[in-house]
Structures are given as C-alpha cells and as structure tokens.
Amino acid sequence: MAWIEERRNKDGKITSYRIIVSGGMDSEGKQIRKKMTWRPPKENMSEKQVEKALNRAVADFEREIEQGYSINRTQTFTEYAEYVIELKERTGVRPRTIDRYKDLMVRIDNAIGSMKLSDIRPQHLNDFYKELGKDGVRKSGDKALIEIDLAKWLKENGYSQAKLSREAEIAPSTVRMILDKRGVSRETANKVSAVIGESTDKLFSFNPDTKPLSKKTILEYHRFISTVMAQAEKEMVIPYNPAAKATPPKPERKEPDYYQPEVVDAILDALEKVPLKWKTITYLLIDTGCRRGEIMGLKWKNIDMDNGILTIDHALLYSAKRGIYEGPPKNGHTRIVRIAPESKELLIQHKREQEYLCKVNGDSQLGGPIG
C-alpha cells in the first residue's frame, strides 16, 4: 500500500508528489519506509493525465521495492561512476585502465554526468554517441607541428631523445612523433618548448583538428558507461542496464597490417649496424610476435637458454600519470614462447656483454630486464 502526499508551492499549486511505500520491517521490528518524489513529466497535463501517470509511477516504485531495488533517485551518473572507478582500482584493475576511465569521464561528465542515474535511458546514450561522432568534437582542438629541425637541436645541445622525453615528461614515442613531423597536442608542445627555452608559437605551427572521434573511441565510451551501469544493476541500484539496450556504432574491421618479407629483410640488414642490445630486442620482437612491453620487461630469469624458451609473465607499461612501471601481460596470463636459434645466439652474446659490463661497473650479479 502506497501513501501519496501532494506538494504545493506558495500559491497553492501542486508541483510534485511524495510517494511513500512500505519496505518491510527492520531488525528492531520497525517499519521501513521508502520514499520518492514524482513530478509530472510534461507541463499543461490534464488532471486525468497526471493521475494516470502518477498511478503508473506508484506501481513502478512498489514493484522496485518489492523486488529489492535500493534506488537512490538523487545520485548522479558522475557520483556513481567515481565510486565504480574507485571500486575497480581497489580490486586490481590496471592503473592504465583507471587513467583511461578518468579521461573518458571528462566528456561523459559534460553530457550525462549531472543526470540522475535512475533517469538515464538508452536514447540518452544514443544521443551522446551521435554527438561524439560529429566534426569538431575533439578536445585537443589543434595539432602542433614542429617548425625547427629537432634532430639538429638535440645534437647541438647534447640531448638524446630519452633525455628530452624525461625532461619534458612525455613518452619516448611522443618524441619520435615530433621528430617525424606528426601532430601532437598543444600541451605536449608547451612541455617541449619549455625544455628548449622558446615560446610554443615560435617552435610550432597549429592546424585545426576537426575530425570526429573514431568508432573505436566511441565504443570505449560505451563500454565504460556499460561497466558503470552494469555495476549499478548488479548492486540493484537500477532495475536494468540502459547501455545494454543502447546502439553504439559497430566496430570497424581492419585488414591485418604486417611486414612483407622484403621489409623484414631490410630491417634485419639495418640491424647489423646497431648496438647488440637493440639488435637482440628487435630480433625477439620479429621472432616471437610478443608486445614491445613484454620484450622490454623480459628478465634473464625468464629465459631458458638451454631450451630456447621465454616465460612471459609481466611487461613494462607506461602511463602518463605514473611513467614507466611493471605490470602483468595484456591478457593477464603467463605464457611460454619458443625462439629461433638466431635469437637464442644473440641472447647468449648479449648476456655475455651484460655480464662483462656488470663486472666492469662492480655489480655483483646480472639482474633486471635484458634491456
């Protein structure tokens, strides 16, 4: 049995209704009362229309209470999403994934963040995905292209790519992007300019980036929203997950991109001119198909030199907020990889070289990553 209280403004006009439903008894035998405020969804509704909509709201609320839902009708999507992110972090989700969740929240917060969690419907999400697919949505705005010869500047000023990466607090791959004359964000351009000691506008030109977000990126937003809503459904905060009923864009299927034999031959020829460490690492990448972080994080204890076997149980990872750190492989599972005789021979030579350097530098034993 539900109780309905009319709420009126100072002019005596009904503005909303408070619905009170019994939620059973607590441990002390006192009656639990669940309450919600209902307002007519449209203005200028007739009394009969209001009465019909109110009765439907009462029936829905009674059913939710009967089924055990603990709906908080004041909690916004942003408030609950922050709780879910913290929950995922506590349960061991990778730091890089947590950082990505927080990045995604910037646009989500502006779109549906202030909406009540229980009010979000599939059409709200579909409208959001549609907006993400429009031109000019990218928050980066402009792409910065360097105007000076950065390679020349590095050489003249005694900088390596690694040193610029450290001092500018950007990823090594970002430094290579700048050297290749590829566009980077204004924030990155500001960091590099600060190290060089010139104004950003002198060192970089800016081109507007008006491309819509890719379908892959829009799907990232959808999957995160679905994760939040699925947790709310699991905790019986909402009766169903609206993201499961939304219609995100279909993922784009791309043809596999791989090196042709002649390109591999050219790479192997070029490796004859590089230090042994980089030659060994590149051979392992080509030979095993492992991810870069898995090979760069490979330790000598994970190599069975006699049988030519690698044990991949961790990887070096990078996060803009944490820098380089060690974590599990992408799929979270340890796997065994066999290597070719050429790769095994290079590892033997590389290990001898590292053992010699350890001896020269006074290190007692060989340890850490092979790189």
Side-chain angles (χ1 to χ4, degrees):
M1 179 73 181
W3 294 268
I4 301 173
E5 297 177 355
E6 297 176 351
R7 295 296 185 88
R8 300 175 182 270
N9 60 19
K10 59 183 178 181
D11 296 324
K13 182 181 178 181
I14 298 175
T15 57
S16 63
Y17 299 83
R18 171 180 277 186
I19 303 171
I20 305 170
V21 174
S22 174
M25 311 294 282
D26 63 16
S27 59
E28 297 178 355
K30 295 181 181 179
Q31 189 177 56
I32 300 171
R33 290 187 175 185
K34 301 286 186 179
K35 303 174 184 179
M36 69 166 285
T37 299
W38 182 86
R39 291 179 177 83
K42 297 178 183 178
E43 293 183 4
N44 302 321
M45 293 177 69
S46 67
E47 289 185 14
K48 193 169 184 179
Q49 288 173 324
V50 170
E51 182 182 2
K52 186 177 180 180
L54 175 59
N55 290 335
R56 187 163 52 246
V58 170
D60 290 342
F61 188 45
E62 286 182 318
R63 184 168 54 254
E64 290 166 359
I65 299 304
E66 184 180 339
Q67 293 174 350
Y69 292 103
S70 56
I71 296 177
N72 181 343
R73 297 186 182 275
T74 65
Q75 192 171 40
T76 65
F77 180 89
T78 292
E79 290 169 345
Y80 192 76
E82 289 172 351
Y83 156 73
V84 172
I85 291 173
E86 191 272 336
L87 179 66
K88 296 295 182 183
E89 193 168 13
R90 280 194 284 111
T91 54
V93 172
R94 294 181 180 189
R96 189 161 54 179
T97 301
I98 297 299
D99 290 344
R100 183 56 178 158
Y101 285 166
K102 293 177 180 178
D103 289 340
L104 295 173
M105 274 303 299
V106 175
R107 283 199 183 96
I108 293 173
D109 189 47
N110 291 330
I112 62 171
S114 60
M115 290 186 67
K116 303 296 185 290
L117 194 68
S118 58
D119 290 344
I120 295 174
R121 298 291 180 265
Q123 57 266 35
H124 296 131
L125 303 182
N126 290 338
D127 289 343
F128 176 49
Y129 304 149
K130 183 179 178 180
E131 288 298 315
L132 293 178
K134 290 183 177 180
D135 291 344
V137 74
R138 293 177 180 268
K139 66 179 180 181
S140 55
D142 297 339
K143 284 295 182 183
L145 298 170
I146 196 158
E147 293 294 311
I148 67 168
D149 186 340
L150 182 59
K152 182 180 178 181
W153 184 91
L154 292 173
K155 185 176 181 180
E156 289 178 348
N157 290 272
Y159 268 72
S160 63
Q161 294 182 36
K163 184 178 179 182
L164 177 60
S165 170
R166 288 194 303 272
E167 293 195 6
E169 297 183 345
I170 59 177
S173 57
T174 305
V175 175
R176 290 192 290 274
M177 285 178 63
I178 298 172
L179 286 165
D180 293 340
K181 299 286 185 179
R182 287 186 281 164
V184 295
S185 69
R186 182 177 286 272
E187 181 184 4
T188 296
N190 289 338
K191 290 179 178 180
V192 172
S193 300
V195 173
I196 293 177
E198 288 283 356
S199 70
T200 304
D201 290 331
K202 281 187 178 181
L203 294 178
F204 290 86
S205 62
F206 293 88
N207 296 324
D209 183 7
T210 60
K211 293 184 298 182
L213 297 183
S214 68
K215 291 181 180 179
K216 179 178 178 293
T217 301
I218 296 173
L219 280 170
E220 281 190 78
Y221 282 93
H222 169 70
R223 287 167 183 149
F224 171 60
I225 292 171
S226 186
T227 295
V228 173
M229 290 299 195
Q231 185 66 33
E233 183 183 26
K234 180 180 178 181
E235 296 183 350
M236 301 187 76
V237 175
I238 55 176
Y240 75 99
N241 177 358
K245 299 178 182 293
T247 310
K250 293 183 178 180
E252 298 169 325
R253 292 188 175 275
K254 294 184 179 180
E255 291 295 322
D257 187 17
Y258 49 85
Y259 289 132
Q260 298 297 322
E262 59 270 19
V263 177
V264 176
D265 289 340
I267 292 173
L268 295 178
D269 288 341
L271 288 175
E272 298 303 319
K273 302 174 184 177
V274 303
L276 179 60
K277 178 178 78 171
W278 299 117
K279 181 179 179 180
T280 304
I281 288 170
T282 308
Y283 258 83
L284 289 173
L285 287 168
I286 295 172
D287 182 16
T288 64
C290 289
R291 297 176 179 86
R292 179 176 56 184
E294 293 172 341
I295 294 300
M296 293 305 295
L298 194 62
K299 298 179 181 179
W300 290 110
K301 67 179 183 180
N302 297 117
I303 301 173
D304 181 348
M305 209 72 81
D306 294 333
N307 297 303
I309 292 175
L310 310 181
T311 300
I312 307 297
D313 61 1
H314 66 280
L316 287 185
L317 305 172
Y318 174 79
S319 162
K321 294 181 174 64
R322 296 188 59 185
I324 297 173
Y325 64 97
E326 190 176 289
K330 187 170 183 179
N331 59 12
H333 301 298
T334 298
R335 67 184 191 280
I336 303 299
V337 179
R338 291 190 177 276
I339 57 175
E342 295 85 354
S343 298
K344 176 181 173 180
E345 181 58 34
L346 283 171
L347 277 170
I348 291 172
Q349 294 178 32
H350 180 42
K351 186 175 184 181
R352 287 174 183 163
E353 184 177 87
Q354 279 208 353
E355 287 173 338
Y356 171 75
L357 291 174
C358 284
K359 185 177 180 181
V360 170
N361 293 320
D363 294 336
S364 58
Q365 60 182 4
L366 191 65
I370 65 169

